Amino acid sequence: MTIKCVLFDFSGTLFRVESTGSWLRAVLTESEVTLSEAELTRKAADLEAVGALAGGAAPARPLPTDLAEVWRRRDESAASHRAAYTGASRLVPLPDPALHEALYDRHMRPAAWHPYPDAAEVLAALRGRGVAVGVVSNIGWDLRPVFREHGLDPYVGAYVLSYEHGIQKPDARLFATACEALGAAPEDTLMVGDDRRADGGAAALGCAVHFVDHLPAAARPDGLRPVLDLVG
């Protein structure tokens, strides 16, 4: 099989979101709210435990019933995404209720995201070989500014974002949309992601699938390079 197109997931694959502590600290600073270091550390841990940072850890325990259904479908629209993550955040008391919305807004900024160390190298090499590149993401906001800010947008031929289509991975229709946008047949396409259930949905369409580990960027300096060997 000759790979002519590679689709990538966003969070945990090409980019990693900042730590929960960094996220909370940035918002507190901008909002001019002061917490002791010990309290900031505790609040960050509590926010992480409920999965309040999109792109960060999943909830460590079941969410309340009224939030669980919103959470299950959170990537189908911008409104659902905001409701799910601010709803999770509100499970953790903060000094000012407005901080919950501010935290959500922060996570959409390019400054909150960092590409994996080998992302630019791998994307550039693929495009240099004439391989089409797309991004297929379960997400509730426009990630294109993140790619532009970090210089990766020139390598991406198509973005297929769940909230723009009202469906989430592993629904094969998202992968089919990406293949069509890039003019590639599924059997000539490789999907690269960190979520075996969501990203593995591409296999139902006939795509090859390769998984990477969702790790902090410093702990995964070359996790994307095997993709180049798979493409050949």
Side-chain angles (χ1 to χ4, degrees), residues 112-223:
W113 295 88
H114 303 282
Y116 279 91
D118 57 345
E121 170 194 340
V122 169
L123 294 181
L126 290 173
R127 292 305 299 265
R129 296 180 188 183
V131 176
V133 171
V135 172
V136 183
S137 178
N138 278 353
I139 198 165
W141 49 275
D142 187 3
L143 52 70
R144 295 171 183 87
V146 176
F147 280 76
R148 288 196 292 267
E149 180 70 19
H150 291 281
L152 300 189
D153 180 66
Y155 306 122
V156 180
Y159 296 91
V160 178
L161 311 181
S162 62
Y163 84 102
E164 294 181 338
H165 298 271
I167 50 177
Q168 306 178 132
K169 296 182 291 186
D171 194 314
R173 288 176 293 173
L174 275 182
F175 306 107
T177 297
C179 289
E180 182 178 355
L182 293 166
E187 59 268 26
D188 298 329
T189 299
L190 173 67
M191 176 67 204
V192 181
D194 67 297
D195 188 319
R196 279 164 171 72
R197 177 181 177 275
D199 300 312
L205 190 66
C207 302
V209 182
H210 175 72
F211 297 108
V212 295
D213 295 322
H214 189 151
L215 295 170
R220 209 194 77 192
D222 54 6

